[in-house]
Amino acid sequence: MINFAIVGIGHISKKHIEAIQAIPEASLLAICDTNPARLEEFSGICKTYTDLKEMLETLPELDVVNICVPSGAHASLTTLCAQYKKHIIVEKPMALKLEDCEKMIQSAKENGVKLAVVHPNRFRPAIVMLQKQIEEGKFGTLSHANATVRWNRNQAYYDQAPWRGTKEFDGGVLMNQAIHDIDLMLWLMGPVESVQAMATTRLRKIEAEDVAAAVLQFKNGALGIIEAATTIYPKNLEESLAIFGEKASVKISGRTANYIETWDIEGQTDEDRIKVVKEVELDPFGKPGHQWIIEDMVDAIKNNHEPVVSGNDGLAPVKLILAILESAETGKKILL
């Protein structure tokens, strides 16, 4: 049995709890939050703590800490857990600064622990099918990719907590919402060579950006376009990822990118296409991505392998987003 603890009780922590409880080889040992009131509902489920250091010192049997606090605090908590020889699963984005990401990776390496970053969209059934086609070379030479996030996060969303929308602890639409699709784009298309971008805070009363657009050139020569906004009226409109190559065009879309809108691949018949589309429609969400991540951590510990979404995987989209923001601020093309 692999014992888990969760740090930070909020919306996303519930997904971690549900995932741990669904895995036979995982056990929820403890929950930590600085607000005692948030811990009351868990008093009968597991041990509760208001101090992370106390939890780490009093639970030698603890194996993994899942970090679900505001993004700006990820680095300090990760390095502390690593010093106590605990494996770590950290929510996206892994940090808001490049040096913090690097510090987290280095700390995990120095202390011999595993570091996984939560990018659950990689495990959506449609995305899994798309990745397989690219990996098998069905696209031929990649031409370009497009990631679109047209969502609504109204002012009430940002007013829920004083850290929301801040550059120090939260970030804007790129770090918070579009990072999922940016991760997918990098995973499927490869590393980026350069970026030119614009970003602005157009409608929301926040410090970070609520609208951004970027043009990328990948190291393989392909191009990419990112459009992201939390200003869409009156509700979420679209999340989509499209990949184009000399032999294939695929677009995964919907209000969340779970459904196949276009699936045209050389050599595949109409019957093949219809079969793939219907298979996804029957189960568009699949097993929860958080469960995939946590199950993989259990296996990584038992069989001593790198997590499927490692610290280096988590660093890549943060690095690109920071380059996008630098380009938007300076008006210059940024080389990565």
Side-chain angles (χ1 to χ4, degrees):
M1 187 68 70
I2 302 298
N3 293 317
F4 286 79
I6 294 172
V7 182
I9 297 302
H11 168 72
I12 204 67
S13 64
K14 294 175 183 177
K15 293 188 177 184
H16 287 254
I17 293 168
E18 290 170 0
I20 292 167
Q21 291 175 337
I23 300 168
E25 295 176 292
S27 172
L28 182 60
L29 185 64
I31 291 178
C32 180
D33 194 283
T34 55
N35 185 345
R38 291 177 182 167
L39 296 170
E40 289 178 1
E41 64 177 296
F42 302 103
S43 59
I45 300 173
C46 62
K47 298 176 182 179
T48 58
Y49 295 84
T50 56
D51 183 84
L52 175 58
K53 195 171 181 181
E54 180 189 355
M55 183 183 79
L56 295 170
E57 289 178 345
T58 57
L59 293 178
E61 68 272 36
L62 175 61
D63 298 299
V64 187
V65 178
N66 293 24
I67 297 175
C68 303
V69 299
S71 304
H74 286 177
S76 60
L77 271 59
T78 294
T79 53
L80 178 61
C81 291
Q83 288 165 10
Y84 280 86
K85 312 301 182 184
K86 307 302 180 186
H87 304 290
I88 301 130
I89 296 176
V90 62
E91 266 295 334
K92 63 78 191 169
M94 67 180 292
L96 300 176
K97 298 176 182 177
L98 201 57
E99 56 266 34
D100 283 344
C101 295
E102 292 168 345
K103 186 189 305 179
M104 293 161 73
I105 294 168
Q106 186 62 29
S107 181
K109 183 179 179 181
E110 288 175 354
N111 289 283
V113 299
K114 301 183 186 302
L115 172 62
V117 183
V118 180
H119 281 293
N121 293 15
R122 292 189 184 198
F123 305 98
R124 290 175 173 178
I127 297 295
V128 170
M129 290 181 177
L130 170 57
Q131 191 274 337
K132 184 180 179 183
Q133 301 300 308
I134 294 174
E135 187 177 52
E136 293 178 353
K138 299 292 179 63
F139 275 70
T141 301
L142 292 168
S143 165
H144 65 291
N146 188 297
T148 303
V149 179
R150 295 169 176 163
W151 281 354
N152 173 278
R153 295 293 183 271
N154 59 24
Q155 193 60 45
Y157 166 86
Y158 292 106
D159 291 343
Q160 289 178 74
W163 55 267
R164 286 189 181 272
T166 64
K167 292 181 179 180
E168 183 179 2
F169 287 105
D170 192 31
V173 62
L174 292 168
M175 283 290 191
N176 246 344
Q177 285 79 30
I179 193 168
H180 289 300
D181 304 274
I182 291 170
D183 169 68
L184 293 178
M185 185 180 274
L186 290 170
W187 184 47
L188 298 171
M189 298 291 291
V192 170
E193 185 173 281
S194 65
V195 59
Q196 186 107 35
M198 288 186 174
T200 187
T201 310
R202 185 67 179 161
L203 299 181
R204 307 299 176 230
K205 295 176 182 178
I206 59 174
E207 187 180 16
E209 82 289 344
D210 59 10
V211 180
V215 179
L216 322 172
Q217 182 164 29
F218 294 91
K219 286 189 176 180
N220 61 17
L223 301 181
I225 298 169
I226 297 169
E227 177 199 338
T230 54
T231 58
I232 305 305
Y233 177 85
K235 58 188 176 182
N236 289 2
L237 176 64
E238 175 188 3
E239 177 190 20
S240 66
L241 179 70
I243 308 287
F244 303 98
E246 63 175 326
K247 298 178 181 179
S249 297
V250 171
K251 182 179 181 182
I252 297 171
S253 189
R255 284 194 184 176
T256 56
N258 287 92
Y259 299 90
I260 295 174
E261 182 177 321
T262 301
W263 188 274
D264 292 315
I265 299 173
E266 185 180 85
Q268 294 188 5
T269 65
D270 286 344
E271 288 76 16
D272 294 332
R273 179 182 58 79
I274 291 168
K275 182 181 178 182
V276 170
V277 171
K278 285 189 174 180
E279 186 177 336
V280 169
E281 286 178 348
L282 287 172
D283 187 17
F285 297 94
K287 183 165 65 178
H290 285 76
Q291 189 171 331
W292 279 107
I293 295 285
I294 294 169
E295 281 180 345
D296 176 72
M297 177 59 84
V298 170
D299 190 69
I301 294 169
K302 292 193 170 187
N303 295 299
N304 194 28
H305 63 75
E306 188 76 356
V308 67
V309 186
S310 67
N312 286 323
D313 292 320
L315 180 148
V318 172
K319 184 177 181 180
L320 177 54
I321 289 168
L322 292 173
I324 291 171
L325 295 173
E326 183 182 352
S327 176
E329 186 176 343
T330 62
K332 297 178 181 179
K333 179 189 284 189
I334 303 300
L335 302 177
L336 282 84

